[in-house]
Amino acid sequence: MRNQMKLFTGHANRDLAKRICDHLGVPLGDAQVEPFADGEVRIKVEEDVRGADVFVVQPTCPPVNDNLMQLVLLIDALRRASAERITAVIPYFGYARQDRKDEGRVPISAKYVANMITGAGAHRVLALDLHAAQLQGFFDIPVDHLYASPVLTRYFHRQKIEDLTVVAPDVGSSKLARGYAKRLGAGLAIVDKRRVSDSKTKVMHVIGEVKDRNVLILDDMISTAGSITEAAKVVHDLGAKSIILGATHPVLCGPAIERLDRAPVQQVVVTDSIPVPEDRRPKQLKVLSVARLLGEAILRIHHAESVSRLFEMDFED
Ligand code: R5P
């Protein structure tokens, strides 16, 4: 007989966890996740998990360190309570951009965070649009890596946008943008950007045609929104007819909201991998849910079925 499936979450994105539970038809696991007066995290799993197949849904989005601690301490509590298998469901993996030693005397933070999650007792990871696919190799446990593209592609298809060009806001995003361009039957252009500081970028060139085109600028995440809004300004100045921005992860930190509100764009389309509070929403924001996608992947992991089959499926928001 298969072990009972249970799903727990911290505070990072309870709404998404609840939506996944609704899709799966299981209740959200009962656990206390509260701060002590000194800021430490207090965890108490309030139900029996012995022998269970447990999924912990927790993106490590801002506040990144708090959410990460909640994740690893939840995993530790579940392991010590004899859960049979623990899968860390990480819709957004923070620290992903610190994935190499590109100058002297810096840590490889993404690798260290992966070690923390594994060391806490996770047996598997389910991730969504990792900043770089090779981050899977930072974990010495199985990683299922999902793409939000079925959800976003379906939405853009339904918009029936004519004369469409998908634009990568930097060379690093060109593979992602090429995939969308292919699925949407659109043209492709790439912005050649240079990073001036961690929140400022400067555009050098645009490779490809954007004049008189409806443009969809796609990235894996919008963090301070420097990259995507700089790209929007440039394609606007080059004569794009309309501009939509799309990304899986709405990190939206620092000056992101002001930048997006000022940008010459018609819509900003993201997923609910990270929650966006009502009072921190840029104008024109459209949020698509990845709950069904993650829920289906969880079911497949539970039943030991292929997860890659999901890449071909159609996902209603
Ligand atoms: C870069 O490699 C990423 O794909 C994003 O383009 C970037 O990290 C987004 O950051 P920001 O919104 O702060 O420019």
Side-chain angles (χ1 to χ4, degrees), residues 97 131 170 173 193 195 219-227:
R97 288 176 288 178
H131 177 59
D170 59 29
S173 312
K193 140 196 128 173
R195 197 163 269 287
D219 210 345
D220 60 332
M221 70 179 84
I222 305 177
S223 186
T224 65
S227 313

Side-chain angles (χ1 to χ4, degrees), residues 17-175:
K18 283 186 198 148
R19 282 194 279 272
I20 294 173
C21 284
D22 288 348
H23 177 71
L24 295 172
V26 298
L28 187 58
D30 190 7
Q32 280 186 41
V33 182
E34 302 302 335
F36 279 115
D38 61 1
E40 290 178 5
V41 187
R42 176 174 184 273
I43 304 278
K44 171 91 167 75
V45 176
E46 299 279 15
E47 61 185 83
D48 184 19
V49 293
R50 188 173 294 270
D53 187 17
V54 177
F55 295 82
V56 183
V57 178
Q58 177 87 338
T60 51
C61 52
V64 178
N65 296 337
D66 286 351
N67 288 331
L68 177 61
M69 278 312 284
Q70 289 178 11
L71 173 64
V72 293
L73 294 181
L74 262 170
I75 293 171
D76 185 69
L78 292 160
R79 176 176 62 90
R80 291 173 193 279
S82 304
E84 178 75 15
R85 185 175 68 169
I86 302 166
T87 302
V89 181
I90 312 176
Y92 169 75
F93 181 63
Y95 283 103
R97 288 176 288 178
Q98 297 187 52
D99 61 350
R100 75 198 78 172
K101 195 163 178 242
D102 52 2
E103 55 181 310
R105 302 184 295 280
V106 296
I108 305 181
S109 309
K111 171 62 185 156
Y112 188 76
V113 169
N115 286 351
M116 278 173 77
I117 293 166
T118 311
H123 298 98
R124 314 180 57 90
V125 168
L126 173 60
L128 178 73
D129 276 340
L130 285 166
H131 177 59
Q134 55 271 27
L135 285 164
Q136 292 172 75
F138 285 24
F139 292 90
D140 289 326
I141 51 177
V143 177
D144 287 301
H145 185 204
L146 295 179
Y147 304 98
S149 56
V151 176
L152 288 157
T153 304
R154 184 183 172 90
Y155 175 78
F156 294 126
H157 253 308
R158 287 184 163 183
Q159 305 304 300
K160 298 193 177 14
I161 309 169
E162 289 176 351
D163 305 324
L164 180 65
T165 293
V166 173
V167 172
D170 59 29
V171 176
S173 312
S174 54
K175 190 164 173 237

Side-chain angles (χ1 to χ4, degrees), residues 238-249:
L238 289 173
K241 271 199 284 198
S242 70
I243 304 171
I244 295 177
L245 308 182
T248 304
H249 307 299

Side-chain angles (χ1 to χ4, degrees), residues 112-313:
Y112 188 76
V113 169
N115 286 351
M116 278 173 77
I117 293 166
T118 311
H123 298 98
R124 314 180 57 90
V125 168
L126 173 60
L128 178 73
D129 276 340
L130 285 166
H131 177 59
Q134 55 271 27
L135 285 164
Q136 292 172 75
F138 285 24
F139 292 90
D140 289 326
I141 51 177
V143 177
D144 287 301
H145 185 204
L146 295 179
Y147 304 98
S149 56
V151 176
L152 288 157
T153 304
R154 184 183 172 90
Y155 175 78
F156 294 126
H157 253 308
R158 287 184 163 183
Q159 305 304 300
K160 298 193 177 14
I161 309 169
E162 289 176 351
D163 305 324
L164 180 65
T165 293
V166 173
V167 172
D170 59 29
V171 176
S173 312
S174 54
K175 190 164 173 237
L176 176 124
R178 193 180 305 123
Y180 276 96
K182 195 169 160 211
R183 282 186 295 275
L184 292 166
L188 176 69
I190 298 168
V191 172
D192 175 23
K193 140 196 128 173
R194 301 278 188 275
R195 197 163 269 287
V196 182
S197 70
D198 69 341
S199 65
K200 256 192 126 196
T201 58
K202 185 168 184 289
V203 169
M204 312 301 281
H205 306 100
V206 176
I207 306 154
E209 199 48 67
V210 292
K211 187 171 163 44
D212 296 327
R213 305 285 297 174
N214 294 307
V215 162
L216 173 56
I217 308 180
L218 283 167
D219 210 345
D220 60 332
M221 70 179 84
I222 305 177
S223 186
T224 65
S227 313
I228 209 157
T229 56
E230 278 298 319
K233 275 180 227 153
V234 169
V235 297
H236 177 260
D237 292 349
L238 289 173
K241 271 199 284 198
S242 70
I243 304 171
I244 295 177
L245 308 182
T248 304
H249 307 299
V251 182
L252 303 186
C253 57
I257 311 299
E258 300 76 54
R259 283 175 172 171
L260 289 166
D261 280 344
R262 280 203 314 265
V265 303
Q266 275 65 51
Q267 209 177 25
V268 181
V269 184
V270 296
T271 80
D272 59 355
S273 68
I274 297 175
V276 187
E278 288 294 337
D279 59 343
R280 288 279 301 155
R281 291 194 169 202
K283 293 183 287 195
Q284 326 279 26
L285 189 77
K286 170 80 185 167
V287 182
L288 307 176
S289 184
V290 287
R292 261 198 69 204
L293 175 70
L294 290 167
E296 279 302 312
I298 287 171
L299 259 190
R300 282 164 183 266
I301 292 168
H302 181 64
H303 291 293
E305 290 170 358
S306 162
V307 168
S308 54
R309 290 285 303 279
L310 292 176
F311 303 160
E312 294 123 42
M313 283 170 63

